[in-house]
Amino acid sequence: MLLGLPLAAHGGELVLRLEPHFDGKPLRLGEANLFPDGSSVTIGRFDMLLSGFALQTDTGQWLDAADYLVGLIRADKGRYSVDLESIPAGSYRAIRFQVGLSKNLNDSDPNEIPEEHALHPVTSGLHWGWTGGYIFSAFEGSVRDSEGVTHGFSYHLANDGNQVAVELPVSFESKRMQTVAIGFDLRELFDRSSGLNPWSGQGFTHSRQGDPLALTARSAVSRSFETPVYYPEIYQTQIQRLDGARRARGAVYPLNISNRLPVLDLGERMPTMEGVALGKKLFEDPVLSSDGKVSCVSCHDRSHAFTDTKALSSGVGGRLGRRNSMPLFNLAWSKHFFWDGRVSNLAEQALHPLVDPNEMGETLPSVISKLEADEEYVRGFEKAFGAEEIEPELIGLAIEQFLLTLVSQDSRFDRAMRGEVELTDQEKEGFSLFVTEHDPKRGLRGADCFHCHGGSLFVSKEFANNGLGVDSADLGRFEASNKKMDTGSFKVPSLRNVAVTAPYMHDGRFASLEAVVEHYNSGVQRGAFLDPNLSKHPAAGLQLTDNEKAALVAFLETLTDPQFIEREAEIASSSL
């Protein structure tokens, strides 16, 4: 999110992380926080909308973020962070923002908000309803007095004029990715003398006009923010909630997911050591195929980011599959699987290759018979799921457990964003081309890659027709959706590790990155279903120079994660 200066001046990325606590202990919803007199406060809801972000340079200049940048804080979703991207290089001494929204944002039509935006009504849960604006902050729960009497409370700050301005001192240089952690003192918020005091019987405000408690709430919220502390990089906290009897059980697998990746809450899907070990063994075992010679790793080789080097992979009896094998990583963020997106569940996806006649050519009853004849597998399913019998659902869940551990996040580009290494001039030029629109009429010359491959996952669009031409034998996403607009569209793959996943496209037609770049430069075939981000380009193509194309390839090569493609999984199959 640009803060007002050209790309060349960008120095890094700042993650603002709110850390609510009580007496130094992190907030835990539903857990009583005790006061010395024996009373307590229990928080059931802690939500905020933050906006109006700005940073003050050491010269006193304020740099404002875009108006539409809104941070959503939702404790029940483990959502506490806001990303300020492309911070101009320099030194900074203060940060400001507000709890609440500008009048323009507060009056916006919620039905026009994209699903992924913080103001989407379902995402935030903070829109009033069909009329009115947003709730700026919501604190709900109960208190218990020293006599053991319980009172409920519901404090909602809302309505124009009830925004809370926050300005805090900082001291950092924007050279890399770093996290600014801002504490929020719940004890201060619920101070009986100057803050919210639900023990007194004043247990709710919805910020109606003239409500004096709204003023008290604003003042208490303002005082509760604390001076920030800094981290060079932090990881998301993953919480295991094993609510389903069918889910894996046992010790939590240590997933360390960078805060540079989108917020992830696996919930009851959280992998366990036992589930991952079982899933890894199944993934590598050719017993799942009809001829006992083909396993998942036959087409998904770790050294190639879990794909292979063939245009079309071969299965049992040397039969060729219909499409190129997709690489496997960062699947926890995917909503649809396969090139046509016909499956929306990762555990279900894992079963499809087993019964595909061109892949493993088995039947599920036959697979189960073979697994139940193996005592090691019987013990493995019992340890991972408490299962007395092996069922198809559990096979899929076990493989899903392993697949969820395939997280790629430590490429050279990531290290450069953290300030640990520096990209070469050629790589920087390639990055600039990657994130710049191609619009000659406005003097913009770029490769325009980010529309489909944006964000830290390097995939920001699910499906697209990228101008390969429509093949009547393979209509792509249309075959799953039956929507005419999806004709010739295929799943957009992440560009992480792209340098090691050749050949490219759903049919493996391009053998090199240079060929892929040239396709977008001069080979896009126009048609009724071509993605609009490509159809807006001149008919003559991008007309990139040879040096520009080489720079773009050089940048793409920085997205390779050597730790991911070289390491062996930490959990060995023998741990079953």
Side-chain angles (χ1 to χ4, degrees):
M1 204 57 59
L2 304 188
L3 286 167
L5 291 182
L7 180 65
H10 297 167
E13 177 182 356
L14 191 68
V15 175
L16 303 183
R17 181 172 177 86
L18 192 65
E19 297 187 343
H21 64 87
F22 188 95
D23 277 349
K25 297 179 181 179
L27 167 65
R28 294 186 182 277
L29 295 181
E31 183 175 294
N33 300 283
L34 297 177
F35 289 86
D37 64 357
S39 62
S40 65
V41 58
T42 300
I43 311 296
R45 182 181 186 185
F46 183 96
D47 296 349
M48 286 184 183
L49 289 172
L50 309 180
S51 66
F53 298 96
L55 291 171
Q56 187 181 37
T57 68
D58 57 0
T59 63
Q61 178 187 9
W62 284 97
L63 302 180
D64 296 314
D67 181 59
Y68 56 80
L69 176 61
V70 176
L72 171 62
I73 307 300
R74 282 195 62 174
D76 64 332
K77 299 294 184 182
R79 185 166 177 164
Y80 293 104
S81 299
V82 186
D83 285 358
L84 300 180
E85 300 176 348
S86 302
I87 305 295
S91 300
Y92 295 89
R93 68 186 189 191
I95 186 170
R96 70 184 181 197
F97 56 91
Q98 66 178 5
V99 179
L101 305 173
S102 65
K103 180 174 176 54
N104 180 52
L105 285 176
N106 199 32
D107 292 343
S108 62
D109 184 352
N111 296 314
E112 296 180 357
I113 302 294
E115 183 178 0
E116 66 274 12
H117 194 274
L119 294 184
H120 186 276
V122 175
T123 300
S124 71
L126 291 170
H127 193 263
W128 289 79
W130 293 279
T131 61
Y134 288 83
I135 298 170
F136 300 157
S137 62
F139 311 117
E140 300 174 5
S142 63
V143 293
R144 188 177 180 89
D145 64 24
S146 57
E147 303 298 321
V149 179
T150 299
H151 309 269
F153 63 84
S154 178
Y155 298 113
H156 292 177
L157 270 178
N159 291 319
D160 296 332
N162 283 319
Q163 296 89 344
V164 178
V166 180
E167 182 174 326
L168 298 169
V170 295
S171 179
F172 72 94
E173 290 189 5
S174 180
K175 292 183 178 180
R176 54 186 171 82
M177 191 271 188
Q178 56 190 315
T179 295
V180 171
I182 301 175
F184 189 89
D185 187 353
L186 290 164
R187 178 185 274 277
E188 179 70 29
L189 183 69
F190 289 94
D191 184 278
R192 284 180 171 83
S193 61
S194 60
L196 299 171
N197 186 0
W199 296 271
S200 67
Q202 294 182 318
F204 70 93
T205 177
H206 298 290
S207 306
R208 292 183 174 88
Q209 189 172 2
D211 183 355
L213 195 52
L215 181 61
T216 301
R218 287 167 52 196
S219 177
V221 169
S222 178
R223 292 194 311 274
S224 295
F225 287 95
E226 300 176 323
T227 302
V229 295
Y230 307 90
Y231 304 100
E233 173 77 280
I234 64 175
Y235 294 94
Q236 299 176 29
T237 299
Q238 295 299 312
I239 301 172
Q240 183 187 31
R241 295 190 297 276
L242 301 179
D243 301 324
R246 291 309 219 183
R247 295 298 178 180
R249 62 185 189 177
V252 175
Y253 183 90
L255 276 182
N256 289 322
I257 300 177
S258 169
N259 234 23
R260 289 188 54 79
L261 297 183
V263 172
L264 181 65
D265 181 3
L266 289 172
E268 63 179 17
R269 299 170 65 210
M270 187 69 187
T272 64
M273 301 288 275
E274 293 81 1
V276 172
L278 176 60
K280 181 176 185 290
K281 180 175 174 62
L282 290 166
F283 191 84
E284 297 174 344
D285 198 339
V287 74
L288 300 184
S289 65
S290 60
D291 63 3
K293 297 180 180 178
V294 178
S295 67
C296 298
V297 297
S298 300
C299 302
H300 298 284
D301 179 0
R302 176 180 285 277
S303 65
H304 294 282
F306 288 94
T307 182
D308 59 18
T309 59
K310 304 172 184 176
L312 302 176
S313 300
S314 57
V316 293
R319 299 171 191 160
L320 293 181
R322 187 183 181 202
R323 295 171 179 149
N324 181 253
S325 292
M326 300 193 79
L328 303 177
F329 55 82
N330 297 350
L331 297 174
W333 288 271
S334 292
K335 294 182 178 179
H336 295 91
F337 303 94
F338 298 109
W339 282 104
D340 55 15
R342 63 186 181 273
V343 175
S344 58
N345 180 290
L346 182 57
E348 179 187 341
Q349 179 276 332
L351 296 177
H352 280 243
L354 276 61
V355 298
D356 189 309
N358 293 325
E359 296 186 51
M360 303 175 82
E362 256 295 7
T363 66
L364 292 177
S366 176
V367 170
I368 290 173
S369 294
K370 288 188 283 188
L371 295 179
E372 288 182 336
D374 187 319
E375 292 185 4
E376 189 174 6
Y377 271 121
V378 172
R379 288 195 303 271
F381 277 94
E382 195 283 327
K383 288 172 61 178
F385 300 103
E388 296 180 0
E389 297 181 355
I390 299 175
E391 301 176 10
E393 177 192 11
L394 297 181
I395 297 173
L397 288 173
I399 296 175
E400 178 192 53
Q401 288 271 297
F402 171 65
L403 295 178
L404 289 172
T405 70
L406 304 183
V407 178
S408 181
Q409 60 187 0
D410 196 26
S411 66
R412 187 160 167 271
F413 175 78
D414 294 302
R415 295 195 294 275
M417 292 300 98
R418 296 198 298 264
E420 297 172 6
V421 299
E422 186 172 356
L423 300 181
T424 67
D425 289 342
Q426 184 187 44
E427 292 163 349
K428 291 177 182 177
E429 180 186 2
F431 182 38
S432 180
L433 288 165
F434 187 92
V435 299
T436 303
E437 279 199 270
H438 188 81
D439 191 347
K441 293 181 180 179
R442 291 195 296 150
L444 294 176
R445 181 178 180 80
D448 214 349
C449 308
F450 67 97
H451 279 115
C452 293
H453 297 285
S456 57
L457 293 173
F458 284 90
V459 54
S460 51
K461 193 167 190 177
E462 279 210 278
F463 302 95
N465 181 316
N466 64 345
L468 296 173
V470 176
D471 180 0
S472 60
D474 191 349
L475 298 178
R477 176 64 175 157
F478 173 81
E479 296 181 1
S481 71
N482 204 33
K483 295 179 180 179
K484 194 172 183 179
M485 61 182 293
D486 289 332
T487 302
S489 291
F490 292 88
K491 186 174 174 64
V492 177
S494 170
L495 294 185
R496 284 184 174 273
N497 300 304
V498 69
V500 299
T501 61
Y504 304 102
M505 306 300 170
H506 67 280
D507 53 7
R509 69 177 65 188
F510 297 130
S512 66
L513 283 177
E514 287 78 7
V516 173
V517 170
E518 190 55 51
H519 164 72
Y520 291 110
N521 184 54
S522 64
V524 171
Q525 298 183 42
R526 294 180 174 271
F529 307 109
L530 180 64
D531 188 275
N533 293 299
L534 296 175
S535 62
K536 69 180 176 63
H537 293 162
L542 300 178
Q543 296 185 315
L544 300 177
T545 67
D546 288 344
N547 286 340
E548 288 171 330
K549 288 183 283 187
L552 190 56
V553 170
F555 166 69
L556 293 174
E557 290 174 342
T558 71
L559 303 182
T560 302
D561 180 352
Q563 298 299 317
F564 176 75
I565 63 175
E566 293 174 5
R567 74 170 184 264
E568 287 299 320
E570 294 85 347
I571 309 302
S573 299
S574 58
S575 65
L576 289 174

